[in-house]
C-alpha cells in the first residue's frame, strides 16, 4: 500500500523532510505559499540561485520527483479552510512551517481526523520534533496555544540546524507512518546541536480539558499513565537500501 | 545536586550557562533559586505562579504536568529540562 503524506512548509525543514520521505516511497503533497529568495539559500540547501523567484512547493516537488519520488507542489497556505483539500488523502501530516498558528492548525486538524502527525521546529542552535498519533497526548496538550512562542525572527537559526532537525523529523515521520508508535506522544528536544547528548526524548501527559483532544475520534486516556519511552531504542525505520 | 538544563533562548539570562546545579527540593524552589542567581528567569517561565502555556518543564523524561506540577520533588541526580514552544525555519 502506498502511503501518502502532506508536508507543510518547503523551506529549511521541509526540504530534508520531503526529500527523505519521497525517497522512501511516500507520495507527497508539499504545501508552501512562498517563493525562493536569496536570503533562504544558506539553510534551504535544496534550492539554488536558479530557483530564485519560483514557488518553493513546486521546486521541492520537482526535486523529489527527480529522485524517483512522487510529489505535487501546492503554492498555498495551510489553513483550516484548505486543510481538507491539502491533506484529505494523507496518512500523515508533517509540519515544517515557521509559524506557530500553522503548527497548531496542522496538529488540530490531524487530531480531529485521527491522523498521525509530526511537528518540527528549529531555533538558533536547536529545535524539537513532536510525534503525534491518535490516542496519545497532542501538541495542544503540550503547548496549549500559539502565543508568544519565540520565533526565528527574534532569535535566528543556524543554517545546518534545520538539516538535522528536518532529518530527525523525517525519521520519526517514517516510523509513525509505518505503525511504529514507540515515540508517539513524545517530543525530541535538540537543545543545542553544538553539544553532545541531544536529543532528549521526553513524554508529556494528556491535559484535562484539551479542546483538540475533545474533537479526537480516539481520545487519550487521562487516567492511564503514559508508557515510559524506550530511550535507548532507535526508531526502526525501514527505508530503501542505499549505498 | 539536581541540574537545570537552560534552553538556548534563556541563556542570555544565565550568562550563557546551559546546565546549572541547584540545591532546591522542588521544581518551584529550583526556579526561585535560579531567579535569585539570575534575576528575571522566573518571569520568563511563570505567570501568576503557574507555568506559561507555551513552556513545559520535564524532570528526566517526565512532564511535571503528569507528576506534581511545580511541587514535583527533585532528587540528587534529577535533570530538569525547560522546553519552550518554538517556531522556526526562517532566518533572522
Amino acid at each position: 500500500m502506498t502511503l501518502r503524506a502532506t508536508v507543510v512548509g518547503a523551506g529549511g525543514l521541509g526540504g530534508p523532510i520531503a526529500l527523505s520521505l519521497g525517497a522512501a516511497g511516500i507520495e507527497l503533497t508539499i504545501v508552501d505559499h512562498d517563493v525562493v529568495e536569496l536570503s533562504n539559500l544558506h539553510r534551504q540547501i535544496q534550492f539554488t540561485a536558479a530557483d530564485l523567484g519560483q514557488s518553493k512547493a513546486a521546486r521541492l516537488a520537482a526535486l523529489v520527483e527527480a529522485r524517483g519520488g512522487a510529489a505535487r507542489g501546492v503554492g498555498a497556505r495551510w489553513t483550516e479552510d484548505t486543510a481538507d483539500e491539502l491533506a484529505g488523502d494523507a496518512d500523515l501530516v508533517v509540519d515544517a512551517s515557521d509559524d506557530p498558528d500553522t503548527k497548531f492548525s496542522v496538529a488540530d486538524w490531524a487530531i480531529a481526523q485521527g491522523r498521525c502527525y509530526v511537528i518540527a521546529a528549529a531555533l538558533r542552535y536547536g529545535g524539537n520534533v513532536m510525534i503525534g498519533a491518535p490516542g496519545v497526548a497532542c501538541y495542544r496538550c503540550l503547548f496549549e496555544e500559539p502565543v508568544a512562542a519565540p520565533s526565528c525572527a527574534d532569535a535566528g537559526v543556524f543554517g545546518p540546524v534545520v538539516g538535522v532537525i528536518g532529518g530527525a523529523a523525517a525519521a520519526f515521520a517514517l516510523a509513525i507512518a509505518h505503525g511504529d508508535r514507540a515515540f508517539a506522544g513524545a517530543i525530541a528536544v535538540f537543545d543545542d546541536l553544538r553539544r553532545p547528548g541531544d536529543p532528549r526524548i521526553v513524554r508529556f501527559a494528556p491535559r484535562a480539558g484539551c479542546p483538540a483532544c475533545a474533537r479526537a475520534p480516539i481520545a487519550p486516556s487521562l487516567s492511564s499513565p503514559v508508557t515510559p519511552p524506550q530511550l535507548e531504542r532507535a526508531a526502526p525505520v525501514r527505508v530503501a537500501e542505499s549505498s | 545536586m539536581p541540574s537545570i538544563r537552560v534552553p538556548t533562548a534563556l541563556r542570555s539570562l544565565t550568562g550563557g550557562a546551559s546546565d546549572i546545579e541547584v540545591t532546591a527540593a522542588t521544581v518551584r524552589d529550583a526556579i526561585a533559586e535560579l531567579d535569585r542567581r539570575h534575576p528575571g528567569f522566573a518571569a520568563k517561565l511563570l505567570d501568576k505562579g503557574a507555568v506559561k502555556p507555551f513552556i513545559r518543564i520535564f524532570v528526566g523524561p517526565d512532564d511535571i504536568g503528569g507528576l506534581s506540577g511545580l511541587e514535583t520533588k527533585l532528587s540528587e541526580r534529577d535533570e530538569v529540562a525547560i522546553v519552550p514552544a518554538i517556531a522556526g525555519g526562517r532566518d533572522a
Side-chain angles (χ1 to χ4, degrees):
Chain A
M1 184 185 77
T2 300
L3 293 171
R4 295 184 177 85
T6 294
V7 179
V8 182
L13 293 168
I17 291 169
L19 292 171
S20 298
L21 298 187
I26 295 183
E27 288 187 5
L28 301 178
T29 295
I30 300 170
V31 182
D32 198 312
H33 69 280
D34 215 348
V35 297
V36 181
E37 298 179 22
L38 186 61
S39 63
N40 300 150
L41 298 186
H42 80 284
R43 69 191 188 286
Q44 299 179 20
I45 59 175
Q46 67 270 31
F47 300 129
T48 72
D51 298 319
L52 295 178
Q54 297 188 54
S55 161
K56 290 183 181 180
R59 282 302 301 142
L60 184 55
L63 291 169
V64 170
E65 296 214 313
R67 288 164 171 78
R72 68 173 179 130
V74 181
R77 286 184 186 272
W78 172 284
T79 68
E80 288 181 16
D81 295 333
T82 61
D84 286 346
E85 179 185 343
L86 296 172
D89 65 349
D91 302 289
L92 169 76
V93 186
V94 183
D95 172 84
S97 73
D98 58 6
D99 173 55
D101 291 321
T102 302
K103 294 182 183 304
F104 278 86
S105 177
V106 166
D108 288 351
W109 183 88
I111 295 157
Q113 299 297 319
R115 313 289 172 86
C116 294
Y117 62 99
V118 171
I119 308 290
L123 189 76
R124 299 188 72 179
Y125 298 107
N128 56 50
V129 180
M130 187 254 162
I131 304 99
V136 298
C138 75
Y139 190 69
R140 197 173 283 276
C141 289
L142 180 63
F143 290 128
E144 297 192 31
E145 55 188 39
V147 292
S151 73
C152 290
D154 303 320
V157 64
F158 188 48
V161 167
V162 291
V164 175
I165 305 298
F172 286 120
L174 284 169
I176 197 77
H178 287 88
D180 182 344
R181 291 172 58 95
F183 294 97
I187 183 169
V189 180
F190 299 78
D191 188 51
D192 188 336
L193 290 172
R194 298 168 301 175
R195 294 163 44 90
D198 283 342
R200 174 189 301 240
I201 295 178
V202 288
R203 287 186 179 269
F204 50 95
R207 184 165 52 86
C210 173
C213 288
R215 293 192 294 271
I218 304 173
S221 171
L222 296 174
S223 59
S224 300
V226 178
T227 304
Q230 297 169 295
L231 297 177
E232 297 78 21
R233 180 181 164 199
V237 176
R238 296 181 188 279
V239 298
E241 294 286 335
S242 61
S243 57
Chain B
M1 286 189 285
S3 65
I4 311 295
R5 188 84 180 267
V6 180
T8 53
L10 297 182
R11 289 182 196 163
S12 60
L13 290 173
T14 62
S18 58
D19 292 279
I20 300 176
E21 292 189 336
V22 294
T23 59
T26 67
V27 172
R28 186 186 296 281
D29 291 345
I31 294 170
E33 183 177 335
L34 279 178
D35 194 59
R36 285 193 296 275
R37 291 156 63 178
H38 305 288
F41 197 90
K44 293 289 186 184
L45 304 184
L46 306 179
D47 182 19
K48 297 175 183 172
V51 180
K52 290 183 176 181
F54 56 90
I55 289 173
R56 295 301 281 260
I57 299 174
F58 297 84
V59 176
D62 299 316
D63 175 16
I64 64 169
L67 301 173
S68 300
L70 289 168
E71 309 312 322
T72 298
K73 294 190 184 310
L74 298 177
S75 60
E76 190 74 7
R77 293 186 176 180
D78 277 336
E79 291 184 352
V80 178
I82 299 164
V83 180
I86 57 175
R90 181 180 297 165
D91 54 355

